[in-house]
């Protein structure tokens, strides 16, 4: 895996330079996350397509102070795709990242041939307690992340690199991320998405329950849902093999 910074955007890629004849899986992390969230996918799927995981503005290696709307993060992704010259991008997003992917597919329908929505929803209201803990006791937020965002069966060492990255992000940026989720609602727009979409839900996801993924499956025109066992909200780190095989099967379906 290679680390890069171009025009203030930090990102990791499986190989570099990108192969302009291949499609590119463009991975987008969730609230308070970073490109590390997709480490296993970037490393594993690079034999098949270009793989790139971006740090959203204000996260990981990226400059900036973050945003508090999905629309602003969506503009940043469009700008990054142009700046890094990402060939044939297929956006893959978790939670807030999944909200961004839905917005990309709704507002820039001609630019993407498919998308992947992992542990996300068409509406993402946030528990007021989450804002309160981040603002009043950031250490407690970091220390409780494993408990509320992962399966209790997940060994702590699988989450450690992400928790370290999250602890380095300014709390107000993470509040902005959750504010963006809380304002997000495209329930009456997702039926317009006409490209194939892979939806992934996880058995023990408390933050974006399976019900949210089932709603997406029901309302998107061309959706296929994969359900991952023994994982919570952070499934790409918790059950990387299951997520990678779901992505490989989706690439088969797309003839890539
Ligand atoms: N897909 C399908 N259904 C959804 C949905 C989605 N994305 N988002 C909400 N709904 C449903 C809810 O299940 C609920 O259905 P019900 O009335 O049959 O129980 C209804 O729409 C209204 O829910 P919501 O808009 O979330 O408002 P609320 O006042 O009932 O609940 C919270 C607010 C914050 C308590 C709730 O959203 C929650 O528990 N969220 C999950 C925890 C969290 O903070 N996640 C962070 C996401 S980034």
């Amino acid at each position: 895996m290679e680390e890069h910074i171009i025009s203030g955007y930090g990102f990791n890629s499986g190989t570099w330079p990108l192969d302009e004849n291949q499609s590119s899986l463009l991975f987008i992390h969730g609230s308070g996350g970073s490109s590390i969230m997709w480490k296993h996918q970037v490393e594993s799927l690079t034999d098949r397509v270009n793989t790139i995981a971006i740090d959203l503005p204000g996260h990981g290696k990226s400059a900036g102070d973050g945003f508090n709307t999905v629309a602003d993060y969506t503009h940043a992704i469009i700008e990054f795709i142009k700046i890094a010259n990402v060939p044939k991008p297929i956006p893959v997003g978790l939670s807030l990242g999944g909200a961004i992917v839905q917005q990309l597919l709704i507002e820039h329908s001609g630019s993407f041939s498919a998308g992947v929505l992992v542990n996300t929803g068409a509406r993402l209201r946030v528990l007021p307690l989450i804002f309160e803990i981040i603002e009043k006791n950031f250490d407690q937020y970091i220390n409780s992340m494993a408990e509320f965002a992962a399966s209790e069966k997940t060994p702590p060492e699988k989450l450690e690199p992400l928790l370290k990255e999250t602890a380095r992000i300014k709390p107000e940026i993470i509040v902005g991320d959750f504010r963006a989720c809380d304002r997000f609602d495209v329930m009456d727009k997702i039926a317009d998405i006409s490209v194939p979409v892979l939806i992934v839900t996880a058995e023990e996801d408390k933050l974006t329950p399976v019900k949210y993924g089932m709603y997406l499956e029901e309302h998107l025109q061309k959706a296929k849902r994969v359900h991952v066992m023994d994982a919570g909200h952070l499934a790409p780190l918790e059950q990387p093999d299951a997520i990678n095989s779901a992505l490989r099967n989706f690439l088969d379906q797309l003839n890539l």
Side-chain angles (χ1 to χ4, degrees):
M1 194 166 73
E2 300 185 39
E3 298 192 356
H4 317 267
I5 300 176
I6 296 181
S7 303
Y9 286 103
F11 63 101
N12 295 339
S13 68
T15 54
W16 193 262
L18 303 173
D19 180 346
E20 61 183 34
N21 298 311
Q22 294 267 24
S23 293
S24 309
L25 287 178
L26 174 57
F27 295 96
I28 308 169
H29 60 79
S31 299
S34 82
S35 53
I36 200 89
M37 183 73 228
W38 301 103
K39 177 182 186 303
H40 304 291
Q41 288 69 44
V42 168
E43 284 172 350
S44 165
L45 292 152
T46 189
D47 62 347
R48 184 83 181 258
V49 286
N50 295 313
T51 56
I52 307 148
I54 187 174
D55 293 319
L56 289 171
H59 302 68
K61 305 176 288 298
S62 284
D65 288 324
F67 297 116
N68 57 22
T69 66
V70 170
D72 283 333
Y73 278 126
T74 303
H75 290 145
I77 296 291
I78 292 289
E79 183 180 71
F80 171 74
I81 289 170
K82 282 189 194 136
I83 289 171
N85 207 6
V86 179
K88 297 181 261 185
I90 297 175
V92 182
L94 178 120
S95 201
L96 168 64
I100 297 166
V101 171
Q102 291 169 71
Q103 193 88 12
L104 288 168
L105 298 182
I106 291 166
E107 295 210 335
H108 303 269
S109 54
S111 305
F112 304 97
S113 61
V116 182
L117 303 175
V118 182
N119 292 348
T120 190
R123 174 179 167 95
L124 291 173
R125 294 292 302 282
V126 177
L127 278 169
L129 184 66
I130 294 183
F131 292 109
E132 207 178 299
I133 297 177
I134 300 172
E135 282 168 338
K136 291 196 180 142
N137 193 340
F138 190 54
D139 288 346
Q140 189 195 343
Y141 173 75
I142 300 296
N143 293 334
S144 59
M145 256 180 78
E147 197 185 312
F148 69 80
S151 162
E152 59 183 26
K153 294 173 203 140
T154 299
E157 56 271 21
K158 282 194 173 180
L159 306 174
E160 225 165 79
L162 176 70
L163 300 195
K164 276 189 187 158
E165 289 267 293
T166 303
R168 279 201 289 265
I169 300 170
K170 290 184 203 154
E172 53 270 31
I173 291 181
I174 306 181
V175 166
D177 290 351
F178 279 113
R179 202 66 73 198
C181 289
D182 199 42
R183 291 173 170 151
F184 180 71
D185 185 349
V186 292
M187 283 183 124
D188 60 351
K189 293 192 186 135
I190 53 167
D192 294 344
I193 297 175
S194 60
V195 295
V197 176
L198 170 66
I199 298 158
V200 179
T201 49
E203 184 190 22
E204 297 175 50
D205 187 353
K206 300 191 221 26
L207 290 174
T208 49
V210 178
K211 176 184 181 181
Y212 292 10
M214 290 169 74
Y215 183 92
L216 292 169
E217 184 180 23
E218 218 171 284
H219 290 83
L220 288 165
Q221 293 179 32
K222 291 183 199 149
K224 177 180 181 284
R225 184 168 65 94
V226 171
H227 188 58
V228 176
M229 306 303 282
D230 294 336
H233 195 58
L234 306 175
L237 285 173
E238 300 179 69
Q239 293 293 347
D241 292 347
I243 300 290
N244 291 350
S245 99
L247 287 166
R248 280 185 193 278
N249 291 339
F250 187 53
L251 293 172
D252 287 344
Q253 187 195 319
L254 299 173
N255 293 318
L256 294 175

